[in-house]
Amino acid sequence: MTTPLGEDFAGDPAALLRWYVDAGVDETIGDEPLNRYVTRPAAPAVAPAPVVAPVVQRAAPATPAPPPAVAPVDASATQLAQAAQTVDELRAAVEAFTGCGLKQFASRTVFADGNPQSRVMFIGEAPGADEDRQGLPFVGVSGKLLDRMIESVGLSRETNAYITNVVFWRPPGNRAPSDEEIASCLPFVTRHIELVDPAVLVLVGGLAAKTLLAKPLGITKLRGHWYEYETPGLPRPVPTMALFHPAYLLRSPQQKRYAWRDLLAIRQKLSETAPA
Ligand code: URA
């Protein structure tokens, strides 16, 4: 048995294991080693489906230029997603879907948590190690902070909040999902929003904001403003706010004041849009 650097540990697997631990390997993500330099055979070509990009407008003060088109999406994903008429059907469709490359590395599909009847829907970035283990979004350290943040404005995943991500599988090594991986999940995310039909949509972190607002701006510019998220399957545009990601707030606690401001604006919007 040799290491990637050529040291030979023949007959001493414990020494080999110690070598890996000393080198900083603290987690195995598969039983077989994976050579990432080998190109995989391309997936069979599918005709691109006509995709309607979500229409997103800044609510005030001015309407910006139309958003750039979203990346091309897998036709079968669009068909599967649109065929789902309930959140449970959509969950089953996501679990059966094999068109996102992340799935082969993940242990669990992380679909959503909370109450799908909620008036507020939070969409984060991607599952991490804890989420992959439990099959639920935002259950690790940053998830605990998200829970505290939303609880501070009277929301909780146990009762009146619903939480998901823009991709349903953990990217290996917690890297950011690629544009292609995000695009493959996007038809399901769009349908998810349509089926939940929230009164307010909250995009947690820059990646979720960039994906769903389709704007070439970072989270620092996007947060703190209301946008309108629209698709043909929604009865009305959904007021949408981007929020700093809790993982970022853990690294930069001085930014929490802005998150607090945004949470108060979300609470206010929920009370303004409360059903009579
Ligand atoms: N970060 C996310 O964006 N989503 C999760 O589910 C967990 C961490």
Side-chain angles (χ1 to χ4, degrees):
M1 270 173 291
T2 54
T3 70
L5 296 181
E7 285 102 321
D8 194 353
F9 287 96
D12 192 356
L16 177 64
L17 199 56
R18 270 196 307 279
W19 186 91
Y20 275 115
V21 171
D22 292 345
V25 177
D26 58 2
E27 190 171 3
T28 49
I29 58 173
D31 291 336
E32 297 294 326
L34 185 69
N35 186 345
R36 292 177 200 286
Y37 295 99
V38 173
T39 316
R40 285 166 205 288
V46 277
V51 175
V52 184
V55 179
V56 181
Q57 293 179 344
R58 173 96 160 252
T63 304
V70 293
V73 233
D74 183 332
S76 64
T78 305
Q79 280 156 13
L80 286 167
Q82 287 301 318
Q85 298 305 312
T86 64
V87 169
D88 283 344
E89 283 178 18
L90 187 71
R91 178 192 287 269
V94 168
E95 282 171 353
F97 182 60
T98 52
C100 175
L102 293 174
K103 191 172 191 176
Q104 64 186 309
F105 303 111
S107 344
R108 309 274 297 260
T109 298
V110 178
F111 181 70
D113 194 19
N115 178 359
Q117 313 293 327
S118 301
R119 299 182 61 247
V120 57
M121 178 173 190
F122 291 84
I123 305 188
E125 302 188 340
D130 294 303
E131 290 76 19
D132 184 61
R133 264 190 292 274
Q134 296 187 39
L136 293 169
F138 282 104
V139 289
V141 183
S142 64
K144 301 279 174 274
L145 177 56
L146 182 66
D147 282 344
R148 289 206 303 277
M149 287 162 67
I150 69 176
E151 277 161 19
S152 71
V153 289
L155 299 168
S156 117
R157 68 172 92 196
E158 274 75 45
T159 53
N160 57 359
Y162 189 65
I163 305 177
T164 183
N165 282 306
V166 290
V167 297
F168 302 102
W169 298 277
R170 179 199 183 195
N174 288 348
R175 65 164 169 77
S178 68
D179 289 351
E180 195 187 12
E181 289 155 355
I182 294 170
S184 67
C185 294
L186 194 57
F188 297 102
V189 175
T190 307
R191 187 70 185 140
H192 210 168
I193 300 169
E194 290 172 357
L195 291 170
V196 173
D197 184 17
V200 170
L201 185 61
V202 182
L203 307 175
V204 185
L207 190 69
K210 188 178 117 199
T211 302
L212 290 162
L213 297 179
K215 288 190 179 300
L217 295 175
I219 183 69
T220 310
K221 291 252 160 52
L222 291 173
R223 63 142 291 276
H225 302 282
W226 284 106
Y227 296 87
E228 289 189 335
Y229 180 87
E230 254 182 295
T231 71
L234 279 166
R236 73 198 84 74
V238 185
T240 301
M241 169 77 80
L243 197 63
F244 279 138
H245 196 284
Y248 170 70
L249 295 175
L250 287 169
R251 293 192 303 273
S252 309
Q254 71 281 11
Q255 304 290 344
K256 283 185 182 171
R257 72 185 105 153
Y258 299 109
W260 173 237
R261 231 178 255 176
D262 297 342
L263 286 163
L264 291 178
I266 291 161
R267 184 174 68 179
Q268 173 71 20
K269 183 68 80 180
L270 280 167
S271 66
E272 283 165 12
T273 56

